[in-house]
């Protein structure tokens, strides 16, 4: 056989087989993989059911009953809700105070936190120090903030009266029902502002600088650039801040309870729930009705806000 015909035949024999790629094959999970996934997903789901949704559903059911925690449970229907709306004097002041909390945190504390985030993002001198100092109250619980508020606004030994020089006729900042709610709101806003600032600062760091440069080239001022270019890109952060603000306003409890146990002008729905369920009254059914009202109000705000934001995203 000629050498010219023999060499191609040898190359064909020496060439390795080309692996065939299987299309559409999926890796099957082994029993060990399924067990690991079941444990990693099952334990959090069970904890969420037993710790969150279980007590929530139990509160909804108990709100239609009369129970003191020891004796028999008797079904009373909607009597708890009727008494709550008509024959419970502390309910409507607590509702007004919760609405006031929401308005103050949403209209005062949140815009101020955004302003601080913008100033820090511009790289002012000592911005690292300002960022740390403003965020420091966030690591404190509201109970600790309440104790600090007592040190500042106390009538006899408070720092505010000492600075104002009201030694002969000191102002009772925490004892006067017309003043104490505003002092506590200032203390709560002091903590909430730092939280909002950090969230917006993270959002501002993620804004593409090219957008600002393009707006500047088009002749937009800094104010127009912020409201028409930067702020619309912060829509995801706005959703988070809005939900957190609603939750913080409606779940406020420990700061007012640390000051005067949520009485004398500091009534909140969360305090009424505690007083009725674990207080001397032990009206678990009635307290559960208040808790259900608080749950519905909070869910109404959050769901409405999220639906509006989702519709805005679809229309963009």
């Amino acid at each position: 056989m000629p050498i010219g015909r023999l060499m191609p035949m040898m190359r064909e024999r020496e060439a390795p087989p080309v692996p065939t790629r299987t299309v559409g094959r999926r890796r099957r999970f082994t029993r060990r993989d399924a067990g690991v996934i079941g444990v990693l997903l099952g334990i959090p789901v069970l904890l969420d059911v037993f710790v969150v949704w279980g007590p929530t559903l139990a509160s909804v059911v108990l709100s239609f009953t009369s129970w003191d925690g020891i004796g028999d449970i008797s079904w009373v229907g909607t009597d708890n809700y009727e008494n709550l709306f008509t024959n419970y004097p502390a309910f409507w002041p607590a509702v007004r105070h919760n609405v006031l909390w929401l308005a103050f945190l949403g209209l005062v504390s949140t815009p101020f936190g955004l302003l601080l985030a913008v100033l820090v993002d511009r790289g002012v001198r000592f911005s690292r120090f300002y960022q740390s100092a403003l965020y420091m109250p966030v690591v404190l619980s509201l109970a600790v903030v309440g104790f600090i508020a007592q040190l500042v606004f106390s009538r006899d030994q408070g720092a505010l009266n000492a600075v104002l020089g009201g030694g002969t006729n000191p102002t009772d900042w925490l004892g006067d029902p017309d003043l104490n709610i505003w002092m506590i709101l200032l203390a709560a806003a002091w903590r909430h502002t730092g939280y909002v600032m950090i969230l917006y600062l993270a959002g501002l760091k993620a804004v593409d600088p090219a957008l600002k440069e393009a707006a500047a080239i088009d002749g937009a001022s800094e104010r127009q650039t912020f409201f028409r270019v930067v702020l619309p890109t912060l829509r995801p952060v706005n959703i988070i801040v809005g939900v957190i603000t609603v939750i913080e306003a409606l779940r406020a409890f420990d700061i007012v309870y640390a000051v005067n146990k949520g009485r004398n002008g500091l009534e909140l729905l969360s305090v009424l729930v505690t007083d009725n369920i674990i207080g001397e009254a032990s009206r678990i059914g009635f307290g559960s009705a208040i808790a259900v009202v608080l749950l519905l109000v909070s869910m109404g705000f959050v769901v409405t806000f999220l639906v509006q934001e989702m519709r805005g995203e679809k229309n963009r």
Side-chain angles (χ1 to χ4, degrees), residues 86-113:
T86 58
N87 298 324
Y88 193 47
F91 175 72
W92 290 112
V95 172
R96 288 194 297 269
H97 292 162
N98 274 111
V99 173
L100 184 60
W101 272 71
L102 179 59
F104 193 86
L105 294 183
L107 301 178
V108 177
S109 180
T110 298
F112 189 59

Side-chain angles (χ1 to χ4, degrees), residues 53 56 246-247 250 292-307:
W53 292 107
T56 301
V246 172
I247 294 175
L250 296 179
V292 171
V293 171
L294 183 59
L295 174 65
L296 294 177
V297 172
S298 60
M299 288 184 62
F301 276 106
V302 173
V303 171
T304 301
F305 190 81
L306 291 178
V307 169

Side-chain angles (χ1 to χ4, degrees), residues 132-175:
S132 301
L134 293 171
Y135 183 74
M136 189 175 297
V138 181
V139 303
L140 304 176
S141 66
L142 280 177
V144 176
V145 175
F147 292 130
I148 296 175
Q150 286 182 318
L151 297 176
V152 175
F153 302 119
S154 178
R155 178 180 180 274
D156 298 323
Q157 300 177 351
L160 183 58
N161 280 333
V163 172
L164 296 178
T168 57
N169 188 18
T171 304
D172 194 0
W173 300 103
L174 298 180

Side-chain angles (χ1 to χ4, degrees), residues 59 68 272-279 281-288 291:
S59 297
D68 59 0
L272 300 184
V273 174
T274 304
D275 289 341
N276 283 275
I277 291 181
I278 65 174
S282 295
R283 297 190 296 175
I284 296 180
F286 189 76
S288 298

